[in-house]
Amino acid sequence: MKTGTSRSLVVLSFAVAACGAPPAPAPIASPPIVAPAADAAAAEGPVTATPPEKLAADSPRTTFAGATFTAPGGWTIATKGPATTLDAPEGDLHLALVDVKAADADTAVAAAWTAYRPESKRPLRIATLRSARNGWDEVRSYEYEVSPNEKLVVYAAARRRGDMWTVTITEGSEGTFEKRISNVALVRDSLRPKGYERESFAGKKANPLDAARIKIIGEFVESAMKELGVPGAAVALIDGGKVVFEGGFGVRELGKPKPVDAETDFIIASNTKGMTTLLLAKLVDEGKLTWDTPVVSVMPTFKLGDADTTSKVLVKNLVCACTGLPRQDTEWLFEFKSSTPKSTMDLLGTMQPTSKFGEMFQYSNILAAAAGFVAAHVLHPKKELGAAYDDAMREKVFAPLGMKGTTFDFAVAERGDHARPHADDADGVPRVAKMDVNRGVIPVRPAGGAWSSVHDVAKYVQMELAKGLLPDGKRYVSEASLLARRAPQVSVGESATYGMGLFVDTRWKVPVVHHGGALIGYRSDLMFLPDHGVGAVILTNSDNGGAMLRPFMRRLLEVLFDGKPEALEDMQTVAKTMRAERGKWRERLAIPADPTAAAKLAAHYTSPQLGEVKVKRDGVATVFDLGEWRSAVATRKNDDGTISFITIEPGIDGTEFVVAERDGKRVLLVRDAQHEYVLTEAK
């Protein structure tokens, strides 16, 4: 996953899926290089144009040649000949959909740029083939070179049906792109050829997960692990309220023989969120609060950086990803040595919303952490927040559900049967990854700090499927409180919504409730089909395991409903794309770091938000030591002439420090999509 200038720190954010007239679209400068000649023709028909129209709500629309899509509310739409353009309210993010006839994808994309914005001559970074889905015969994606100081996102995709290509171009500000990612996803997910109807499993009875079907799912997992270089995975399957399979594949650690089994613990990261909101559901049942209770009424010290937003936050909004607070994880991932749950809550008080309350999906781990600490404070007001939360989860969630091995204690987990984390090195070779950065989750653990096994997580999924009943038939939580967590709080693309720590996906016309998790070296997902009594859990011990999660869900549905066999190809295509993208990324890196550039660095940098970075030498390598974690770095010469130092430690590779100068001092710039941090040289 990549956002802003870091390939990895955003993944740590627990991989993972819309007022006033808008200002005029801002022009985006591009380096002057010559684009390929376009031997293509626009779709047949008269060249017409429509004036810009501000959309009051999400609206079904068609492209020039008849492809259908949904345009997001609040955006401005206009057409000119074969091009349909969509401009975000901020005016600095633009989508174009252009229909052309062309011999191939490359020619179609070149023609689309000519029709949309002919002055753009941005160099291509990489083009990769993608799985053709949603009625398309061929799909190819294009990513363009962007220097970090431009703070831009620029990419395109070409989709073919017959002899007609529909090219989508996305370009604009990184900050607005991340803020409006659900709007962009709405257009992307809804784009289909004229007359195409998406595959539907609605009204079908699910096949039983018998031995033959379990074997098919197991074979898929083994195939995906081999293709992606994932050392170990654990899987649980639930059908009819019973666990019909739980077990492991592969090993806990590369080079060592101990196998993964059903009791092997993994960090489940953001899968913790749904369990945290389950704690809130218990408090609702006990009358200690309601979903509509203002948070400040149960924790008066709770505050965000914006007083108006603070006053509006209800209990149900703590994990709704809908308050307008942006993802802001860099601070706690860099500087956590002295962090506590209280300092996490204090940090929340410095954070400003970047969209209106309830307007759009913006994922905030810090705010989700607050959900657990607020619940803990209600239950144990005199205890330290972390201890109160740990006790509350043990008393109210883990013990009643029989999740005996689940813990937030890293030391306990690492002494027991646990899987080690893995990630590829800069050359794409799987390695054991360090745990250092993962410990940054401890002060924000309600958002993603649990260690668990498929044996334990399956118990949680069983309870969700049973609508709050335990296996012995006893009522654990009321159905109303349980289901309130799945109610849509904000839209995420065309066919998904986010509730309270849970996504509900209706892409295939059957609800799939799920959530994923990502920390360094760990990728996981839990999912269940409430209408069919089926659930699954998959935990992996590799960053690359993230590429098998969505295909795993698809394979489960194929087996249940005799769906089109797409999952295997999807996984293989993603694997090829990952390898190609890593190879292209590696081409621009100098490893070890360029000694001349390294010699110009200060020895010590500081930032109020990110703490210290010390520049050290380890033989020929240049090392950035942040105290909490350290990594050798590479250098990259950017197209705008700047130099970046980029971490290359497996799992934290891709964190970018851009060399600059401010007020006569040497600085390093670190960015996520919506924030910039300045590390200044210190004496």
Side-chain angles (χ1 to χ4, degrees), residues 459-529:
K459 293 178 182 294
Y460 163 77
V461 174
Q462 282 179 285
M463 183 278 305
E464 289 275 10
L465 285 169
K467 297 181 180 180
L469 295 178
L470 297 175
D472 62 4
K474 291 182 179 179
R475 172 65 60 184
Y476 162 69
V477 64
S478 72
E479 185 173 335
S481 295
L482 182 83
L483 297 183
R485 299 157 50 253
R486 306 177 198 172
Q489 300 293 328
V490 66
S491 176
V492 188
E494 181 193 28
S495 54
T497 58
Y498 199 71
M500 291 181 246
L502 293 169
F503 289 94
V504 179
D505 195 330
T506 57
R507 177 183 304 258
W508 298 285
K509 306 299 182 184
V510 293
V512 181
V513 185
H514 71 102
H515 209 290
L519 272 172
I520 286 178
Y522 299 100
R523 299 291 185 274
S524 57
D525 210 351
L526 62 83
M527 63 202 74
F528 52 94
L529 284 69

Side-chain angles (χ1 to χ4, degrees), residues 594-617:
D594 177 72
T596 302
K600 296 178 181 179
L601 294 172
H604 184 197
Y605 295 85
T606 64
S607 160
Q609 301 90 358
L610 305 188
E612 295 185 331
V613 174
K614 293 182 178 179
V615 180
K616 299 181 178 180
R617 304 288 185 267

Side-chain angles (χ1 to χ4, degrees), residues 54-60 70-74:
K54 176 73 176 292
L55 299 172
D58 295 352
S59 306
T70 301

Side-chain angles (χ1 to χ4, degrees), residues 265-345:
D265 282 335
F266 299 71
I267 300 179
I268 64 170
S270 279
N271 291 298
T272 309
K273 287 182 171 71
M275 299 174 190
T276 294
T277 62
L278 185 59
L279 171 63
L280 287 169
K282 291 287 291 180
L283 299 190
V284 171
D285 280 354
E286 294 171 9
K288 292 182 169 63
L289 47 76
T290 74
W291 294 119
D292 294 319
T293 297
V295 175
V296 292
S297 71
V298 292
M299 182 182 259
T301 57
F302 171 82
K303 69 173 184 176
L304 308 179
D306 178 85
D308 181 60
T309 307
T310 300
S311 67
K312 293 178 181 177
V313 177
L314 310 178
V315 167
K316 67 183 179 183
N317 302 136
L318 289 170
V319 199
C320 71
C322 66
T323 62
L325 255 66
R327 186 184 288 257
Q328 196 168 336
D329 297 328
T330 304
E331 294 171 39
W332 61 267
L333 288 165
F334 268 65
E335 186 70 358
F336 58 82
K337 182 167 48 183
S338 302
S339 295
T340 64
K342 183 184 182 303
S343 68
T344 294
M345 298 296 286

Side-chain angles (χ1 to χ4, degrees), residues 169-215:
I169 297 170
T170 303
E171 62 171 354
S173 155
E174 277 187 330
T176 302
F177 176 82
E178 178 171 276
K179 183 169 67 174
R180 294 195 172 273
I181 188 66
S182 60
N183 292 165
V184 176
L186 173 63
V187 178
R188 178 200 65 206
D189 296 347
S190 63
L191 182 61
R192 293 188 274 277
K194 181 179 180 180
Y196 176 77
E197 293 291 334
R198 177 177 281 175
E199 181 182 24
S200 172
F201 301 139
K204 291 188 175 182
K205 182 180 178 180
N207 294 318
L209 288 178
D210 56 18
R213 294 185 177 92
I214 292 170
K215 183 173 183 289

